[in-house]
């Protein structure tokens, strides 16, 4: 047998034929023993002294990586302020450590699933949180620098140490330098911010329900939501004793002015303005009913990016796709990281750019977002209460009542809001993209707020995004995603769609302070009786208004569900000839007729959520 094999080999060699190369793997496989993985912490110097103690701050990077790997491995990184104060994921997991300070529990499934497949997972405590020195600055240079410097260290461009102070220098000799950042909410926001620096080595980001401009988290076209970044900073710093962050917190408090002006603090935290620097690919996920990180964030970020990208839009609120479409999400992440971090040619970058949940657990792929056939369509409110493409004339007035919110506006507006409707649609009408509203408004007082809603008037079964789970119900049974080790299991409670029947759906909202009519950077005093024209944005969305329903535009003053009222609420009169909405539509709205009677069931929260987790 040996002689026969040798003769066959010689025949191949002398014939000049070349043996076929081994086929490239289609996907990374779990070939490494997770129980034997190396767990360690490196403190990376970020070159700042945020807490004013006279020493350059070091941030803790907790690392888990395969011990048997004979070649360098890429990194999946989640940089967060929540590893000790608030927890990560649907089960609010925290980091844990053994008696020697070595990391044991790595929140979420990324380590369990990807380390056996040849990745390192690095969880970074942002400056001023958990075991890191410094102070949080809520999306500013310290937060973003915390994560960027770890990317630099993974690429040999920054210094890491074996201890928070002192210690010896540590290099990432095991790293390929290819980094993918992932995270929900604040964590995904940091991924956006780091990508906007253009740092070399960051190959991809996966922002989930993430902020793209901190101004739009705390303010909206001059209107204020009533909470400020210094409160968030104090929350995430609360578990990191011994550091005095009062000076940094005061910078946040004074920079976030009481009015809604866009100033230097917000400009420093505006990643959309620097989206041209992004070189990493982007896999983006957001709930179209997220009333925490509102959907303007994904819309403006997506539009500003010029890289390979894909997007998932669910009907949920502030929820990770692991908890509403688990198996498909893990599979997509696996292929995404394999392609962008390992270089596998699996085609994940091809195919439809968007996947959108149309009804609970019913998804539709779309070639583009916004929809390729969506056209910015100008809709005009008519004096008769109709909404259509024809120009209008006349005036209409409402009286600002800061105690009323959007649900009342839809079901029983009275004199507090104005409703304009297309009437019953003969065919489906898709709203896909970011709308704007232009008002020419005359206030009766020297201060005024203006808010607007796009509403689908008609019955539907939706995810109950206003419920405690924001569209999901968490069961008691578990399924597992990867390998487990003592103190760090890979099993998570199974979730299902929390559904609710409604008679209308608010699909987009926007708010403005009329005092910012001329500029977002400086409000101006209003003169009662004088007309002012202002254009403001509505939240990004992708929603199909079905045949038999109607699309309505509602305009009012202070939406008490979200924004603070003016010092002197009064009566506002609209010049209908110079008031309109620009709505990206796929389909043609019918000629305006009388609008249907407003329905009676509400389903949205009475106040905005302000928990950035």
């Amino acid at each position: 047998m040996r002689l026969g094999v040798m003769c066959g080999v010689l025949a191949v060699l002398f014939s000049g034929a070349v043996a076929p190369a081994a086929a490239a793997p289609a996907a990374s496989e779990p070939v490494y023993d997770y129980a034997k993985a190396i767990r360690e912490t490196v403190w990376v110097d970020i070159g700042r002294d945020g807490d004013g103690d006279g020493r350059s701050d070091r941030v803790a990077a907790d690392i888990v990586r395969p011990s048997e790997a004979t070649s360098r491995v890429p990194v999946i990184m989640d940089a967060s302020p929540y590893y000790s104060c608030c927890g990560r994921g649907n089960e609010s997991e925290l980091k844990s450590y053994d008696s020697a300070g070595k990391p044991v529990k790595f929140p979420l499934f990324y380590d369990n699933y990807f380390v056996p497949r040849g990745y390192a997972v690095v969880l970074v405590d942002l400056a001023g949180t958990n075991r890191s020195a410094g102070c949080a600055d809520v999306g500013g240079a310290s937060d973003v620098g915390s994560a960027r410097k770890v990317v630099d260290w993974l690429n040999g461009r920054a210094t890491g140490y074996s201890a928070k102070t002192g210690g010896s220098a540590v290099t990432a000799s095991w790293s390929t330098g290819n980094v993918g950042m992932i995270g929900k909410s604040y964590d995904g926001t940091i991924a956006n911010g780091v990508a906007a620096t253009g740092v070399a080595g960051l190959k991809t980001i996966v922002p989930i329900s993430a902020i793209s401009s901190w101004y739009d988290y705390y303010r909206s076209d001059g209107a204020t939501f009533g909470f400020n970044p210094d409160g968030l900073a104090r929350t995430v710093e609360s578990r990191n004793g011994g550091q005095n962050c009062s000076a940094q917190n005061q910078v946040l408090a004074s920079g976030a002015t009481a009015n809604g002006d866009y100033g230097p603090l917000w400009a420093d935290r505006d990643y959309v303005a620097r989206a041209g620097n992004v070189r990493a690919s982007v896999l983006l996920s957001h709930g179209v009913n997220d009333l925490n990180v509102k959907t303007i964030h994904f819309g403006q970020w997506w539009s500003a990016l010029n890289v390979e990208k894909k997007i998932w839009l669910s009907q949920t609120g502030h929820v990770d796709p692991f908890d509403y479409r688990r198996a498909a999400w893990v599979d997509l992440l696996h292929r995404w990281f394999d392609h962008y971090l390992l270089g596998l040619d699996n085609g994940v970058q091809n195919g439809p750019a968007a996947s959108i949940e149309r009804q609970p657990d019913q998804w539709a792929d779309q070639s583009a977002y916004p929809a390729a056939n969506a056209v910015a369509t100008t809709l005009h409110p008519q004096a008769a209460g109709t909404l259509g493409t024809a120009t209008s004339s006349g005036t209409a007035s409402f009286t600002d009542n800061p105690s009323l919110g959007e649900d009342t506006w839809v079901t029983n507006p009275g004199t507090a809001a104005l409703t304009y409707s297309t009437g019953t649609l003969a065919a489906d009408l898709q709203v896909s993209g970011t709308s704007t509203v232009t008002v020419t408004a005359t206030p009766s007082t020297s201060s005024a707020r203006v808010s607007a809603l796009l509403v689908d008037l008609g019955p539907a079964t939706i995810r109950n995004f206003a419920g405690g789970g924001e569209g999901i119900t968490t069961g008691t049974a578990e399924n597992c995603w990867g390998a487990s080790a003592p103190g760090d299991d890979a099993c998570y409670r199974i979730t299902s769609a929390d559904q609710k029947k409604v008679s209308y759906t608010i699909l987009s909202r926007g708010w403005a302070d009329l005092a910012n009519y001329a500029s977002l950077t400086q409000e101006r005093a209003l003169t009662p009786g004088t007309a002012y024209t202002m254009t403001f944005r509505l939240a990004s969305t992708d929603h199909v208004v079905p045949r038999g329903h109607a699309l309505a535009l509602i305009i009012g003053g202070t939406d008490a569900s979200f924004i603070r009222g003016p010092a002197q609420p009064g009566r506002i009169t609209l010049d209908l000839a110079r008031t309109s909405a620009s709505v990206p539509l796929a389909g043609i709205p019918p000629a305006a007729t009388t609008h249907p009677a407003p329905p009676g069931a509400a389903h949205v929260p009475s106040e905005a959520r302000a928990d950035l987790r």
Side-chain angles (χ1 to χ4, degrees):
M1 289 179 61
R2 285 196 295 268
L3 180 60
V5 170
M6 181 61 70
C7 290
V9 171
L10 291 173
V12 170
L13 291 175
F14 283 110
S15 69
V18 178
S28 58
E29 297 289 344
V31 297
Y32 299 107
D33 187 345
Y34 180 71
K36 295 179 180 178
I38 296 169
R39 294 168 182 265
E40 59 189 338
T41 303
V42 173
W43 278 265
V44 177
D45 190 324
I46 66 170
R48 298 176 59 86
D49 183 12
D51 53 14
D53 64 357
R55 295 191 299 265
S56 184
D57 300 330
R58 297 179 185 179
V59 297
D62 291 322
I63 301 163
V64 55
R65 55 189 176 90
S67 63
E68 310 103 312
T70 56
S71 58
R72 298 185 178 209
V73 299
V75 171
I76 297 168
M77 186 166 84
D78 188 337
S80 176
Y82 291 138
Y83 287 129
S84 64
C85 85
C86 309
R88 305 314 301 129
N90 190 38
E91 299 178 33
S92 299
E93 292 185 310
L94 302 172
K95 285 181 177 179
S96 70
Y97 305 88
D98 65 17
S99 58
K102 185 170 73 173
V104 174
K105 175 64 177 178
F106 283 69
L108 306 176
F109 74 98
Y110 307 136
D111 55 318
N112 310 92
Y113 189 85
F114 286 103
V115 171
R117 288 171 166 79
Y119 293 83
V121 170
V122 178
L123 304 187
V124 180
D125 298 328
L126 296 185
T129 70
N130 198 23
R131 299 201 297 172
S132 289
C135 294
D137 66 355
V138 188
S142 180
D143 277 8
V144 172
S146 296
R148 176 181 170 138
K149 279 295 185 180
V150 176
V151 176
D152 285 337
W153 174 72
L154 291 164
N155 282 273
R157 300 188 300 265
T159 306
Y161 294 91
S162 60
K164 187 174 181 178
T165 60
S168 56
V170 180
T171 63
S173 58
W174 46 267
S175 166
T176 63
N178 291 345
V179 181
M181 291 186 68
I182 188 171
K184 177 193 168 193
S185 200
Y186 203 137
D187 306 15
T189 302
I190 299 305
N192 285 344
V194 175
T197 70
V199 61
L202 183 62
K203 301 299 184 182
T204 192
I205 60 171
V206 185
I208 301 165
S209 303
I211 292 168
S212 57
S213 170
W214 284 88
Y215 175 85
D216 293 305
Y217 185 71
Y218 290 103
R219 308 287 188 264
S220 175
D221 289 304
T224 65
F225 295 132
F227 47 96
N228 289 301
D230 58 303
L232 180 55
R234 288 193 296 271
T235 297
V236 300
E237 292 160 351
S238 63
R239 301 292 179 89
N240 195 355
Q243 293 170 201
N244 183 357
C245 291
S246 57
Q248 175 60 54
N249 293 342
Q250 182 55 44
V251 170
L252 293 173
S254 58
T257 55
N259 62 17
D261 288 355
Y262 179 96
L265 180 91
W266 306 122
D268 288 344
R269 292 158 175 78
D270 187 346
Y271 313 135
V272 178
R274 296 185 284 278
N277 296 330
V278 176
R279 293 186 279 178
S281 63
V282 179
L283 174 59
L284 190 157
S285 170
H286 217 107
V288 296
N289 294 308
D290 192 337
L291 302 182
N292 179 349
V293 178
K294 298 169 184 65
T295 59
I296 191 67
H297 289 280
F298 84 75
Q300 62 190 6
W301 185 235
W302 178 267
S303 296
L305 293 170
N306 187 27
V307 295
E308 291 184 342
K309 57 187 179 179
K310 285 184 181 288
I311 189 170
W312 273 21
L313 298 176
S314 73
Q315 279 197 354
T316 65
H318 199 58
V319 180
D320 192 305
F322 184 73
D323 295 313
Y324 60 71
R325 202 183 181 192
R326 185 167 295 181
W329 178 247
V330 174
D331 177 68
L332 176 58
L333 276 185
H334 185 182
R335 291 183 293 119
W336 191 266
F337 286 140
D338 275 1
H339 178 69
Y340 287 105
L341 300 183
L342 287 176
L344 298 188
D345 186 13
N346 56 19
V348 71
Q349 76 279 18
N350 301 322
S355 189
I356 300 166
E357 188 178 29
R358 294 298 179 205
Q359 297 179 38
D361 290 326
Q362 296 184 27
W363 290 79
D365 287 340
Q366 193 165 279
S367 64
Y369 178 82
N373 58 339
V375 177
T377 305
T378 302
L379 300 178
H380 299 272
Q382 310 287 332
T386 57
L387 183 69
T389 54
T391 57
S392 57
S393 61
T395 62
S397 300
F398 59 86
T399 300
D400 189 3
N401 185 343
S403 68
L404 301 180
E406 55 186 27
D407 290 320
T408 303
W409 290 1
V410 178
T411 61
N412 187 24
T415 61
L418 302 168
T419 300
Y420 303 94
S421 168
T422 61
T424 302
L425 296 172
D428 291 354
L429 187 64
Q430 182 180 0
V431 181
S432 181
T434 304
S435 303
T436 62
V437 170
T438 298
V439 296
T440 297
T442 301
S444 65
T445 64
S446 60
S447 57
R449 307 287 186 269
V450 183
S451 305
L453 314 173
L454 289 176
V455 187
D456 175 346
L457 296 175
T461 299
I462 65 165
R463 283 188 183 261
N464 182 23
F465 64 88
E470 300 197 47
I472 64 169
T473 297
T474 304
T476 56
E478 294 184 330
N479 55 18
C480 304
W481 300 87
S484 296
D488 195 342
D489 69 70
C491 304
Y492 292 86
R493 294 177 184 175
I494 299 171
T495 65
S496 59
D498 177 15
Q499 300 187 29
K500 184 176 182 178
K501 293 184 182 297
V502 297
S503 55
Y504 68 90
T505 303
I506 298 175
L507 57 105
S508 187
R509 321 160 162 75
W511 314 271
D513 185 343
L514 197 59
N516 290 98
Y517 70 94
S519 170
L520 281 184
T521 60
Q522 185 175 7
E523 66 179 14
R524 301 186 181 185
L526 301 177
T527 301
T530 300
Y532 299 95
T533 298
M534 183 176 186
T535 298
F536 59 98
R537 302 160 300 162
L538 302 187
S540 309
T541 193
D542 196 299
H543 179 93
V544 174
V545 183
R547 172 186 177 184
H549 290 202
L551 175 65
L553 170 67
I554 299 179
I555 301 176
T558 301
D559 180 353
S561 303
F562 295 94
I563 64 171
R564 294 287 182 89
Q568 296 177 298
R571 190 169 180 80
I572 298 175
T573 300
L574 299 181
D575 179 349
L576 297 182
R578 295 192 291 162
T579 295
S580 62
S582 177
V583 184
L585 295 177
I588 301 174
T593 58
T594 57
H595 64 80
H603 68 266
V604 297
S606 60
E607 60 183 29
R609 300 180 185 271
D611 179 8
L612 186 58
R613 283 183 279 172

